[in-house]
Amino acid sequence: MTFKRPADAMAQRTNPHHLIVVALETFFVPVPKFDLPAPYTYELREYARTRPDQVAERIADADVIIMTVLPVPANVLRPQVSPRLKMVSVVASGTDSVDLAACKARGIVVANTPHCNAVSVAEHALALYFAVRRSVTLSHTMVRAGGWPKMGTMQKALDGPDGKPPRTCRDETLGVIGYGAVGKVLEATAKSLGMKVLVSGRKGSATAAEGRTAFDTLLRESSVIVLCLPRSPETLNLISDAELDAMKPYAVIVNVSRGGIVDEKALVAALRARKIAGYGTDVYEQEPASDENSPLIGPDTADLNIVTTPHVAWCASDTIANYNRATKENIEGWLSTGHPKYPVV
């Protein structure tokens, strides 16, 4: 694909210390005011949203770009397209939307903002857990459809595939898959609620490190499984048919990681076959998710115990403050020392 840059972007800027910072997705998090070390100055260009086909034009003369989930592929990272680009600042923990290999080959620094949303995501995971375990969405839909007067009592709507009422926290065993900042906050909070907590080892490993539980054992023993790990080639379809078959019939799964880690078609099939009790998710294989691109959404799944939220687990006032702090530390630190505080590449 060929891109054309505006004529003014083709000209060599005379001041190498004056940086053009292009923020491509301020819809998610506003850009903080930067206090750059002397002699650096900057011009900020802000775009609320950017389509993939607009990236090349908007970063044509950028020194720094700030983005969240927008794809930054190799073709826009070529010197012919973004000749002055020196840094990609990601306002998120995940960097899977940036071609890291292309950045490394060009010497472009990539920094992310880890741990900023740990408390919010952990709390959201627990909110999804309670909603699924108590069949909140399913019973809400049934009440709205006039089911309560017809049935007289709806307590059986909360029963799991094992035919028993929902468990309380003191009877739950929570399996945490992904023991980063979110996993650690989740572990502490779950224990305070009375849950037993298991932390997963790596899938495919017969043994687990001290303090960890083998992946296959965790699947068999947990009544609640929460996924909070990065998406990578190794974690795609981490949970699919075989893993779902290994779970308890009253198990619920919560996914606050990334789409693609759970095989959505296999998940829906397992719920239909009543192999597990429910699924709560904030992430999807394709986003924005709709009944056109996700098997989790649509009228044919309305009778299943699925709770969906639109990738907003991160959203909280302290998360935004943390993102702003970390973004400042990355860009200002890179200019001061040559290294951002949270380097990726």
Side-chain angles (χ1 to χ4, degrees), residues 250-262:
Y250 49 82
V252 299
I253 305 171
V254 173
N255 188 1
V256 288
S257 52
R258 281 289 189 269
I261 291 176
V262 172

Side-chain angles (χ1 to χ4, degrees), residues 300-324:
D300 59 331
T301 59
D303 60 335
L304 300 179
N305 189 18
I306 299 176
V307 179
T308 57
T309 55
H311 206 147
V312 291
W314 63 273
C315 190
S317 57
D318 69 330
T319 299
I320 292 173
N322 290 337
Y323 277 142
N324 281 339

Side-chain angles (χ1 to χ4, degrees), residues 8 149 181 237:
D8 58 347
N237 289 329

Side-chain angles (χ1 to χ4, degrees), residues 6 82 127 140 157 175 196 262 296:
S82 51
H140 168 83
K196 177 183 177 182
V262 172
L296 301 175

Side-chain angles (χ1 to χ4, degrees), residues 141-261:
T141 301
M142 294 171 71
V143 170
R144 297 280 294 181
W148 191 2
K150 295 176 184 177
M151 299 172 67
T153 176
M154 296 187 67
Q155 67 188 62
K156 287 297 181 182
L158 276 64
D159 288 357
D162 59 347
K164 296 180 180 179
R167 294 171 160 237
T168 57
C169 290
R170 290 178 293 179
D171 293 323
E172 300 278 29
T173 297
L174 171 67
V176 178
I177 302 179
Y179 197 53
V182 173
K184 290 179 172 66
V185 174
L186 182 62
E187 176 190 35
T189 309
K191 285 183 175 178
S192 73
L193 293 170
M195 294 184 185
K196 177 183 177 182
V197 178
L198 305 177
V199 178
S200 178
R202 290 188 176 274
K203 183 179 181 179
S205 177
T207 59
E210 184 178 355
R212 303 291 181 99
T213 300
F215 180 82
D216 292 341
T217 303
L218 180 141
L219 294 183
R220 292 193 303 269
E221 295 186 359
S222 298
S223 57
V224 185
I225 294 171
V226 177
L227 300 154
C228 46
L229 70 165
R231 173 174 168 162
S232 70
E234 293 74 30
T235 61
L236 286 176
N237 289 329
L238 186 81
I239 303 296
S240 192
D241 293 299
E243 292 74 29
L244 293 162
D245 287 344
M247 296 178 189
K248 296 181 181 297
Y250 49 82
V252 299
I253 305 171
V254 173
N255 188 1
V256 288
S257 52
R258 281 289 189 269
I261 291 176

Side-chain angles (χ1 to χ4, degrees), residues 13 15 17-22 31-37 39-46 63-64 66 328 331-332 335:
R13 294 205 308 274
N15 182 359
H17 296 116
H18 182 73
L19 306 180
I20 293 182
V21 179
V22 180
V31 181
K33 181 179 179 181
F34 297 107
D35 299 305
L36 303 188
Y40 291 101
T41 57
Y42 74 99
E43 169 190 340
L44 176 63
R45 299 177 186 170
E46 300 181 73
D63 296 283
V64 178
I66 301 173
K328 282 174 58 66
I331 294 175
E332 294 167 8
L335 292 173

